[in-house]
């Protein structure tokens, strides 16, 4: 979805932030046009460690090479 300014771009992050749930963003590749793609992993309230574990697993499965 084209985003016209920084506020539009940040909306995806702020919607999760206001919930108080743990979240992390991970690089997930590049689009056909060369733009970076990210994945946002969001957990239940107070499930910080589970989010970190899933992020580590995603990273280990998606290393270049």
């Amino acid at each position: 979805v084209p985003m016209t300014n920084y506020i539009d771009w940040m909306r995806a992050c702020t919607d999760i932030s206001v919930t108080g749930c743990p979240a992390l963003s991970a690089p997930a590749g590049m689009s056909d046009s060369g733009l970076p793609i990210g994945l946002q992993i969001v957990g239940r309230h107070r499930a910080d460690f589970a989010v970190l574990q899933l992020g580590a697993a995603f990273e280990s499965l998606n290393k270049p090479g």
Side-chain angles (χ1 to χ4, degrees):
V1 174
M3 298 184 187
T4 58
N5 58 51
Y6 182 76
I7 300 300
D8 288 346
W9 177 76
M10 286 300 297
R11 185 169 290 128
C13 299
T14 59
D15 288 349
I16 296 301
S17 295
V18 298
T19 68
C21 293
L24 65 80
S25 296
M30 302 295 272
S31 71
D32 290 338
S33 60
L35 295 171
I37 297 172
L39 172 71
Q40 192 171 30
I41 299 171
V42 182
R44 293 184 304 239
H45 185 65
R46 297 187 176 265
D48 302 58
F49 187 63
V51 170
L52 291 172
Q53 286 178 309
L54 184 56
F58 179 79
E59 180 182 38
S60 70
L61 293 171
N62 289 293
K63 287 187 179 182

